[in-house]
């Protein structure tokens, strides 16, 4: 597919139009130097948007329109910690040869361990994933480190983009975002202060993981340079990583500890991967790892 005619902008447009009647979005100020950027190669452009709302701590979007043919969307919505709603996550990396797709309502709590959280948010949403199971099939091996941040409805897929696939992905994005909006609208504030503390830590753990290990970092560094990429990651994409909690990457993920005290550069330490979808149609975890 010719990527020149293709863009993720309409995904972002849809999300903003859909959310506006449902809450009050206000722009969230962020560093001037992270606003719309041009990559060092002079070709790719980066577009950023950032908002907050009463139940949403941070709704932000980074889209990259690149050359040679590359399109990226990293769109996420992080709830206020008083609400235990999942994190909306649309993460699409597309070149003319391959698209790598993660679309999910990322759980705050590991659903393989906390079945109450899974029941609360995902049981009713299983038909949503089933709608796309065949059209956007499991994208082969995914590390167990990433999997623990995914829900039973995750769309994890890899394919070479065609106009048909693009339409399916757009439909899936719309459905998933609408489903997330319903959860957001229904959410009631935690009455228990301890619940808020737990939600806050869970979100901080997620931000710490992605600020430390997101697979896009290398390319981002290549596009805008090491320093700006670091600022983009910590002050924009995963903003909150330095303020929502005080634990460090190694506090949450001690298995990455190197003898000299540094963080192991590898993305996966456990070295296990899920080659097939590890949940059944009802959302039960059925495992089946491969190394
Ligand atoms: C690849 N991005 C990936 C992969 C995943 C994700 C699973 C496949 C490689 C892997 O399994 O590690 C996304 N991983 C996630 C998400 C979570 C997670 C969303 O654990 C959530 C918990 N991606 C971006 C941006 C860029 C980008 C901004 O968000 C580029 C600027 C690129 N993603 C990107 C690239 C790859 C990738 C280049 C392939 C790189 C590789 O596999 O090493």
């Amino acid at each position: 597919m010719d990527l020149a005619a293709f863009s993720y902008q309409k995904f972002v447009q849809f999300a903003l139009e859909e959310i506006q009647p449902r809450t009050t979005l206000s722009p969230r100020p962020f560093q001037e130097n992270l606003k719309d950027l041009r990559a060092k190669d002079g070709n790719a452009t980066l577009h950023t948007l950032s908002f907050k709302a009463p139940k949403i701590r941070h709704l932000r979007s980074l889209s990259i329109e690149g050359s040679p043919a590359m399109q990226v969307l990293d769109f996420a919505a992080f709830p206020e910690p008083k609400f235990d709603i999942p994190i909306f996550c649309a993460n699409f990396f597309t070149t003319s040869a391959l698209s790598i797709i993660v679309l999910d309502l990322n759980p705050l709590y590991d659903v393989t361990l906390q079945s109450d959280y899974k029941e609360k948010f995902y049981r009713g949403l299983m038909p949503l994933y089933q709608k796309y199971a065949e059209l956007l099939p499991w994208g082969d091996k995914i590390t167990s480190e990433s999997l623990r941040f995914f829900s039973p409805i995750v769309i994890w897929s890899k394919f070479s983009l065609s106009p048909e696939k693009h339409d399916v992905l757009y439909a899936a994005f719309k459905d998933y975002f609408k489903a997330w909006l319903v959860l957001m609208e229904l959410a009631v504030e935690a009455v228990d202060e301890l619940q808020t503390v737990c939600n806050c830590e869970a979100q901080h753990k997620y931000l710490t993981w992605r600020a430390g290990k997101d697979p896009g970092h290398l390319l981002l560094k290549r596009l805008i340079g090491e320093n700006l990429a670091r600022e983009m990651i910590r002050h924009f994409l995963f903003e909150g990583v330095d303020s929502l909690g005080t634990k460090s990457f190694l506090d949450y993920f001690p298995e990455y500890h190197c003898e000299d005290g540094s963080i192991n550069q590898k993305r996966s330490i456990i070295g296990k991967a899920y080659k097939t979808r590890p949940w059944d149609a009802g959302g039960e975890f059925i495992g089946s790892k491969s190394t």
Side-chain angles (χ1 to χ4, degrees):
M1 181 173 169
D2 178 13
L3 284 187
F6 163 82
S7 154
Y8 284 121
Q9 287 308 324
K10 72 170 179 182
F11 290 56
V12 178
Q13 273 318 315
F14 169 83
L16 294 182
E17 279 163 24
E18 197 65 21
I19 195 170
Q20 254 146 9
R22 290 175 175 77
T23 186
T24 312
L25 282 189
S26 31
R28 203 172 192 274
F30 61 102
Q31 290 176 218
E32 277 304 319
N33 63 342
L34 299 179
K35 294 202 171 135
D36 296 339
L37 290 165
R38 186 168 278 276
K40 292 198 300 183
D41 66 6
N43 289 324
T45 51
L46 292 82
H47 309 279
T48 43
L49 286 173
S50 183
F51 298 96
K52 62 183 165 115
K55 294 181 182 176
I56 305 171
R57 191 183 66 78
H58 196 191
L59 174 101
R60 54 73 175 165
S61 167
L62 167 67
S63 50
I64 305 176
E65 312 210 274
S67 164
M70 173 184 73
Q71 297 284 338
V72 180
L73 178 66
D74 183 352
F75 184 97
F78 299 97
E80 277 293 340
K82 280 182 280 192
F83 302 92
D84 66 351
I85 37 177
I87 294 163
F88 181 80
C89 166
N91 197 262
F92 309 152
F93 171 76
T94 293
T95 65
S96 41
L98 180 70
S99 283
I100 300 178
I101 301 300
V102 177
L103 178 61
D104 194 19
L105 314 190
N106 287 155
L108 283 186
Y109 300 98
D110 185 333
V111 285
T112 63
L113 303 173
Q114 296 211 17
S115 55
D116 53 339
Y117 192 81
K118 187 185 71 187
E119 291 297 312
K120 179 172 176 183
F121 288 112
Y122 300 105
R123 178 164 287 283
L125 292 176
M126 289 313 289
L128 195 58
Y129 129 72
Q130 278 152 18
K131 191 170 161 189
Y132 296 101
E134 275 177 36
L135 297 165
L136 300 170
W138 191 254
D140 203 13
K141 286 185 180 175
I142 186 85
T143 64
S144 49
E145 281 88 350
S146 285
L147 193 87
R148 72 192 145 178
F149 294 106
F150 291 176
S151 84
I153 63 162
V154 66
I155 294 180
W156 151 242
S157 201
K158 283 194 220 175
F159 47 79
S160 96
L161 199 67
S162 62
E164 295 73 33
K165 283 277 192 201
H166 179 226
D167 289 347
V168 173
L169 184 61
Y170 186 40
F173 176 88
K174 291 196 277 191
D175 278 351
Y176 273 59
F177 192 64
K178 285 194 269 186
W180 185 83
L181 286 177
V182 171
L183 299 185
M184 191 266 293
E185 285 185 285
L186 292 175
V188 285
E189 209 172 302
V191 276
D192 182 357
E193 179 58 26
L194 187 61
Q195 183 64 53
T196 301
V197 171
C198 290
N199 294 341
C200 197
E201 175 158 309
Q203 189 172 148
H204 186 245
K205 182 177 181 181
Y206 177 95
L207 292 166
T208 304
W209 169 254
R210 292 199 61 190
K213 294 289 174 193
D214 215 58
H217 293 354
L218 205 66
L219 180 57
L220 201 57
K221 284 179 187 159
R222 238 188 293 141
L223 290 172
I224 57 174
E226 183 114 22
N227 289 340
L228 212 47
R230 194 178 314 112
E231 287 183 25
M232 172 80 86
I233 289 161
R234 299 199 80 85
H235 304 316
F236 179 75
L237 289 176
F238 307 113
E239 190 282 328
V241 66
D242 295 318
S243 58
L244 281 193
T246 51
K247 283 192 183 170
S248 69
F249 185 91
L250 290 173
D251 292 334
Y252 288 124
F253 311 105
E255 62 279 17
Y256 283 84
H257 202 284
C258 290
E259 274 184 10
D260 65 359
S262 63
I263 299 173
N264 194 316
Q265 292 295 304
K266 284 192 201 160
R267 220 147 61 211
S268 172
I269 291 286
I270 303 170
K272 295 260 195 237
Y274 291 85
K275 210 172 168 12
T276 53
R277 188 173 197 91
W279 293 281
D280 70 13
E284 277 313 305
F285 190 69
I286 48 172
S288 187
K289 290 177 194 167
S290 65
T291 46

